[in-house]
Amino acid sequence: MKKTVLLAASLAVTLGTAAARNTNEPDTLRTIQMEEMVIVATPKENRNLHELPIASSRLTQQDIQAKQVSGIKSLTALVPNLFIPDYGSKLTTAVYIRGIGSRINTPAVGLYVDNIPYIDKSAFDFNYSDIEQIEVLRGPQSMLYGRNTMGGLIKIYTKSPFTYQGTDVRLGAATYGDCNASLTHYHRISSRFAFSAGGFYEHAGGYFRNSYDGKRIDRSNAGGGRLHAVVLPTEEWKLDLNVNYEHTNQGGYPYYYNGKADGEETYPDLVGKISYNDPSGYRRDMLNAGLNAELRRPRVTASFITGYQYLRDHMEMDQDFSPRDIFTLQQRQRSNTLSEEIVLKAADDRRRWQWTTGAFGFYQWLDTEAPVLFKRQGIEEIIEANANSAFPSSPQAPQMHLSIHNATLPISGCFSTPLLSGALYHQSTWNDLLTPGLSVSVGLRLDYEKMWLDYNSAAQPMNFGFSLQMGPMQMEDPDMTALSALTGKMRNDYLQLLPRFSVQYEWKKGNNVYATVAKGYRSGGYNIQMFSDLVQSQMRNAMKTALMQSPVFAPMAGIIGQMMPDVYLDINASALYRPEYSWSYEVGTHLSLWEGRLKADAALFLMDTHDQQVSQFSENGMGRVTRNAGHSRSLGGELAATALLTPSLTVNTSYGYTHATFRDYQTVNDNGQEADYHGHFVPFIPRHTLNAGAQYVLTLRRARLLDRIRINVDYNAAGSIYWTEDNKARQPFYGTLNARLGFEKGPGAVALWVRNALDKDYAAFYFESMGNGFVQHGHPLQAGIELRCRF
């Protein structure tokens, strides 16, 4: 806690200096008792968020601070039916809304930052030090936002240098060795030009120890910066440029061994421990840039939005998560994504006919290397054992045995997966139709996507020996070599029509009821991690070829051919997964009562999903794959309310219920048996999400040292959550308590905070691999201090 003490010592000096310099300035940390109706410029919507016929939530800057939102994973349960499991790294961010989500590959919930789409889920988890507002739109948003928004959309906006002025400083320290700092300067040079520039650094000391070496395995360091410039060259034009860079280097993965999934324990000494011997972690460099050029004319607003994302990362993983030398997995990605969108919409939001039309397209270059390294134990227990188990075991049959001589066996994988997408869309809204307050919206989007896969996956030459005994005759060749490689190309494209229809009645400003029907979809893709399994299968064919060409066994080629049938490889069926699509039916209401002192939202929904994409581990446990699971149905409801009870006390609550089950899902389980999961709950979907919070602001009108004391308390809960399709592993309903105590003086504030104050032990993530169960526990109780000041 030395860092905390030093921070507290510098706090008094900093606050005092800030107060002295700003005694005549307005209070920039003003009390915000209710949601600010901050209308952020959006190129597509014609009305404010809560006037639209969709279920939505908004978090203002004050909400973000009060509820301790430090990244996208902090949003879990703050928004009804929103769940984001913590995988222990920023490699991928799985977002689930209303029973729709994705662990790997294509996302089901989209992310836009300053109106720029973030295409890759590996870019979703970034630093929130400069965020002004977060909006979460639930239900399919595919008509306006296209691919991979069938579950919903998260829109994030950074602070505008025209709105904020000065220099923001943030310092923080916490238990477990955490510390962070950020500095951002906002400057409006003239009425035509403003900019902001800043940077941040954050260090996490780690919560969990690896019992193998006694070190904390989830330590992380991250740093980066953002440049934001806004130019108004004329009265009609606005140019908004945003550039963000971030570097991350973190350890991983804090997975506790939970025992054999079938209950027959093989390694009792490892149960309840994190224990693996090979380096594991994740490094990422990420650059995101966007330019929004907006032209405002009396009747039409035109937006030209150009986005660019660069991502380079490197993941290392001890894939068996044990001290045994089985195998390791790596993944290195390099992607460049260029997107362009042109949006035209009616400029006057008071017109009876409002419309939006646009065109969108992007191209992504993505190259991935995914090598797998089998160590000696893995060669013996996986490759040798699988090969020998396929031989006849009857005493009357010839006895065969294969032995591999390699000390290690690397399997390389190089994949190029470029992606092209284009879309045209239009939406019209007719207001005051037949009667004042009644509006109808109709929209349609045509979405086209083309994807490629060039693959080159091969195993190092495998040296092996083979023996055959038929009665008294014994034959052996101890020195043979098998070569196994897969090289080829795949091409696939899809065309989607995405309609949307809604009807809404508003009887008073801020009070409306609505009904919406919409179709959403998530794009298909390729399982590149599947190729290590395919190469293993190809090895058996290569070994058979080597045997039949061996001088020892060539005379018995016919018998060997019968006893070792070729393994059929259907690469297209194994590597390809199809798009997922869903029809959503929703009714809801937005209410503003008691002169705005109570705001409430409620919704009921039904989502019918076909070809649902589910994540599974491949047959040999070497990485996850996405497969289409047939048909599922999700139904539920949501309720959110915020009330200003007194000028000082605000309370809020939100609740979401989702009942998501498979309606048609037949597959093969880990034991090779056919399984029918009809009626089973869809994994990773909490049945309930709950947030209850309160804020009390004590205003000290005559105090010299302080202006306000702000107290925030939040209880977040979710569950139950089933982790597997067979529903044998689950996390019961659980909740965590967070609190924050802030002291404010002029433009400065210091806060003491605590997360998971009751030290609740719960599973943040669970999975099964090679018949073993692994669990990642949620973060334990943590306390810290934070300083914010504007000069």
Side-chain angles (χ1 to χ4, degrees):
M1 294 293 291
K2 291 183 178 179
K3 295 179 181 178
T4 306
V5 175
L6 292 175
L7 178 62
S10 63
L11 176 64
V13 177
T14 307
L15 284 175
T17 304
R21 293 181 179 179
N22 295 279
T23 52
N24 296 322
E25 293 187 4
D27 178 14
T28 57
L29 294 176
R30 63 191 183 281
T31 302
I32 303 174
Q33 301 288 4
M34 293 293 287
E35 174 188 19
E36 286 185 280
M37 300 304 291
V38 180
I39 301 179
V40 179
T42 59
K44 299 181 182 181
E45 288 82 5
N46 294 89
R47 288 178 286 178
N48 187 49
L49 183 64
H50 281 181
E51 295 176 343
L52 297 174
I54 56 176
S56 60
S57 301
R58 172 187 281 129
L59 297 176
T60 66
Q61 182 186 1
Q62 178 62 46
D63 296 328
I64 294 170
Q65 294 179 14
K67 297 182 180 296
Q68 304 184 46
V69 178
S70 57
I72 191 169
K73 293 185 173 96
S74 304
L75 296 175
T76 288
L78 291 180
V79 174
N81 287 321
L82 173 64
F83 178 65
I84 308 176
D86 189 350
Y87 286 1
S89 85
K90 297 182 179 182
L91 170 66
T92 183
T93 300
V95 185
Y96 295 84
I97 294 180
R98 293 183 172 181
I100 301 296
S102 170
R103 281 180 59 190
I104 61 172
N105 295 328
T106 52
V109 177
L111 176 70
Y112 273 62
V113 180
D114 290 328
N115 299 317
I116 305 298
Y118 278 34
I119 304 298
D120 199 313
K121 292 207 313 298
S122 295
F124 279 19
D125 194 355
F126 61 92
N127 181 269
Y128 276 21
S129 61
D130 191 34
I131 302 303
E132 178 182 27
Q133 185 169 284
I134 302 172
E135 297 175 353
V136 181
L137 285 59
R138 301 185 293 281
Q141 307 301 318
S142 299
M143 203 290 297
L144 285 178
Y145 294 93
R147 65 191 298 274
N148 302 340
T149 60
M150 63 177 293
L153 179 68
I154 299 175
K155 301 169 72 174
I156 297 175
Y157 300 96
T158 60
K159 297 176 183 177
S160 169
F162 267 105
T163 304
Y164 293 87
Q165 296 297 297
T167 302
D168 278 359
V169 178
R170 186 191 69 177
L171 298 172
T175 53
Y176 292 95
D178 288 10
C179 61
N180 61 78
S182 68
L183 175 68
T184 306
H185 179 69
Y186 304 87
H187 191 61
R188 184 170 57 201
I189 295 178
S190 68
S191 61
R192 297 286 186 182
F193 177 65
F195 78 94
S196 65
F200 78 93
Y201 170 77
E202 57 186 16
H203 168 78
Y207 300 95
F208 307 103
R209 291 189 184 276
N210 186 350
S211 64
Y212 181 81
D213 57 13
K215 297 180 180 179
R216 294 194 183 273
I217 61 173
D218 55 334
R219 294 167 59 92
S220 69
N221 291 280
R226 183 188 301 273
L227 175 65
H228 191 180
V230 181
V231 183
L232 306 175
T234 68
E235 296 295 330
E236 297 179 333
W237 279 98
K238 173 185 175 183
L239 302 178
D240 194 331
L241 174 67
N242 210 315
V243 181
N244 178 47
Y245 168 77
E246 186 169 314
H247 172 78
T248 300
N249 187 355
Q250 59 181 159
Y253 296 81
Y255 300 152
Y256 286 81
Y257 177 59
N258 204 47
K260 298 290 286 186
D262 57 12
E264 298 179 5
E265 188 50 59
T266 307
Y267 313 108
D269 56 324
L270 297 181
V271 176
K273 294 181 180 179
I274 302 173
S275 182
Y276 54 83
N277 59 327
D278 288 306
S280 297
Y282 181 65
R283 298 192 302 275
R284 182 187 70 184
D285 288 286
M286 182 174 66
L287 175 70
N288 293 283
L291 176 63
N292 187 349
E294 184 179 278
L295 172 63
R296 287 184 174 271
R297 303 289 291 179
R299 292 183 175 271
V300 177
T301 297
S303 298
F304 307 89
I305 308 165
T306 304
Y308 171 72
Q309 291 95 43
Y310 169 78
L311 186 142
R312 182 182 66 181
D313 66 3
H314 183 195
M315 179 269 290
E316 296 178 297
M317 183 179 290
D318 185 340
Q319 189 64 47
D320 55 90
F321 306 109
S322 75
R324 305 166 66 234
D325 286 323
I326 306 297
F327 61 99
T328 64
L329 173 68
Q330 294 190 42
Q331 178 177 285
R332 292 183 288 270
Q333 294 184 113
R334 184 188 296 269
S335 72
N336 291 270
T337 306
L338 185 64
S339 64
E340 182 66 34
E341 186 160 20
I342 301 173
V343 185
L344 304 175
K345 72 175 182 180
D348 188 355
D349 61 2
R350 294 168 296 180
R351 297 176 60 184
R352 296 194 64 178
W353 176 44
Q354 298 171 321
W355 54 269
T356 299
T357 190
F360 172 76
F362 80 87
Y363 188 85
Q364 182 181 64
W365 299 261
L366 176 59
D367 295 310
T368 305
E369 296 180 31
V372 174
L373 175 64
F374 280 92
K375 296 189 174 184
R376 188 58 210 169
Q377 281 184 275
I379 293 173
E380 294 174 352
E381 298 181 15
I382 297 179
I383 302 177
E384 276 189 12
N386 287 341
N388 288 317
S389 65
F391 298 145
S393 58
S394 171
Q396 291 77 26
Q399 301 301 302
M400 296 179 289
H401 181 75
L402 177 144
S403 59
I404 300 174
H405 306 321
N406 299 60
T408 61
L409 186 62
I411 299 179
S412 64
C414 297
F415 309 94
S416 177
T417 52
L419 183 64
L420 172 68
S421 180
L424 297 172
Y425 57 90
H426 176 83
Q427 176 176 276
S428 285
T429 301
W430 292 272
N431 297 313
D432 298 328
L433 191 66
L434 302 179
T435 185
L438 181 64
S439 64
V440 174
S441 296
V442 179
L444 182 66
R445 183 186 185 101
L446 178 64
D447 212 296
Y448 173 76
E449 187 164 313
K450 186 176 183 62
M451 57 188 186
W452 296 261
L453 169 61
D454 293 352
Y455 58 88
N456 185 354
S457 184
Q460 177 181 301
M462 188 179 70
N463 302 314
F464 70 101
F466 187 79
S467 63
L468 172 65
Q469 184 171 357
M470 299 179 62
M473 182 182 66
Q474 183 170 357
M475 305 172 66
E476 182 178 8
D477 189 342
D479 189 14
M480 288 180 286
T481 300
L483 301 175
S484 178
L486 295 173
T487 303
K489 301 176 183 292
M490 295 177 64
R491 304 288 185 271
N492 297 89
D493 60 354
Y494 304 101
L495 190 66
Q496 298 282 340
L497 276 174
L498 304 169
R500 182 185 182 94
F501 172 81
S502 64
V503 57
Q504 179 175 266
Y505 177 68
E506 184 178 63
W507 63 90
K508 184 180 179 182
K509 184 72 172 178
N511 294 267
N512 59 69
V513 293
Y514 66 87
T516 298
V517 179
K519 180 184 177 183
Y521 95 104
R522 176 157 43 132
S523 57
Y526 300 112
N527 290 307
I528 61 174
Q529 290 188 2
M530 191 68 185
F531 279 86
S532 55
D533 274 9
L534 295 173
V535 169
Q536 276 194 79
S537 299
Q538 181 69 5
M539 283 181 188
R540 293 180 58 184
N541 294 336
M543 287 188 292
K544 175 182 174 180
T545 301
L547 279 169
M548 298 177 70
Q549 295 175 352
S550 167
V552 178
F553 296 104
M556 302 185 65
I559 298 176
I560 292 175
Q562 293 178 0
M563 292 186 297
M564 297 180 63
D566 286 336
V567 178
Y568 174 67
L569 298 180
D570 190 342
I571 296 178
N572 284 353
S574 299
L576 178 68
Y577 58 91
R578 303 183 303 277
E580 169 186 346
Y581 68 93
S582 177
W583 280 96
S584 171
Y585 309 89
E586 177 181 336
V587 294
T589 182
H590 303 298
L591 300 174
S592 180
L593 307 174
W594 299 337
E595 298 181 346
R597 295 169 63 90
L598 172 64
K599 294 184 181 296
D601 302 286
L604 297 174
F605 64 87
L606 168 65
M607 299 188 71
D608 198 50
T609 305
H610 294 264
D611 288 334
Q612 182 157 14
Q613 299 169 11
V614 298
S615 176
Q616 300 174 337
F617 269 84
S618 59
E619 294 179 3
N620 291 325
M622 294 184 301
R624 292 168 294 177
V625 298
T626 297
R627 294 189 174 96
N628 295 94
H631 176 204
S632 71
R633 183 174 296 165
S634 176
L635 56 91
E638 300 162 349
L639 177 64
T642 301
L644 178 63
L645 299 183
T646 72
S648 300
L649 179 61
T650 304
V651 297
N652 67 272
T653 185
S654 65
Y655 169 74
Y657 172 79
T658 299
H659 187 272
T661 56
F662 292 114
R663 310 301 296 173
D664 180 16
Y665 181 20
Q666 296 180 350
T667 185
V668 178
N669 60 26
D670 293 338
N671 297 323
Q673 300 173 339
E674 292 186 359
D676 186 354
Y677 292 135
H678 172 79
H680 285 221
F681 290 100
V682 179
F684 289 84
I685 309 299
R687 183 87 64 90
H688 309 274
T689 59
L690 172 67
N691 170 254
Q695 174 178 264
Y696 183 78
V697 180
L698 177 62
T699 303
L700 307 174
R701 303 187 183 279
R702 298 183 179 181
R704 294 183 178 181
L705 296 179
L706 293 174
D707 293 336
R708 284 172 302 278
I709 298 177
R710 192 186 303 269
I711 304 172
N712 294 95
V713 179
D714 268 280
Y715 180 76
N716 302 322
S720 56
I721 305 167
Y722 289 93
W723 302 112
T724 56
E725 286 87 354
D726 60 16
N727 289 179
K728 292 181 180 179
R730 75 182 183 102
Q731 167 60 52
F733 185 83
Y734 71 95
T736 60
L737 181 66
N738 305 325
R740 188 174 186 270
L741 175 62
F743 304 93
E744 301 174 4
K745 177 64 177 178
V750 62
L752 305 174
W753 56 263
V754 61
R755 298 174 188 149
N756 194 6
L758 302 179
D759 202 21
K760 177 66 176 179
D761 184 20
Y762 62 95
F765 176 51
Y766 173 89
F767 66 94
E768 294 175 358
S769 174
M770 299 174 62
N772 297 314
F774 296 91
V775 61
Q776 178 173 329
H777 292 286
H779 293 171
L781 183 151
Q782 186 180 30
I785 184 172
E786 180 184 59
L787 163 70
R788 293 177 182 266
C789 188
R790 177 177 298 175
F791 295 94

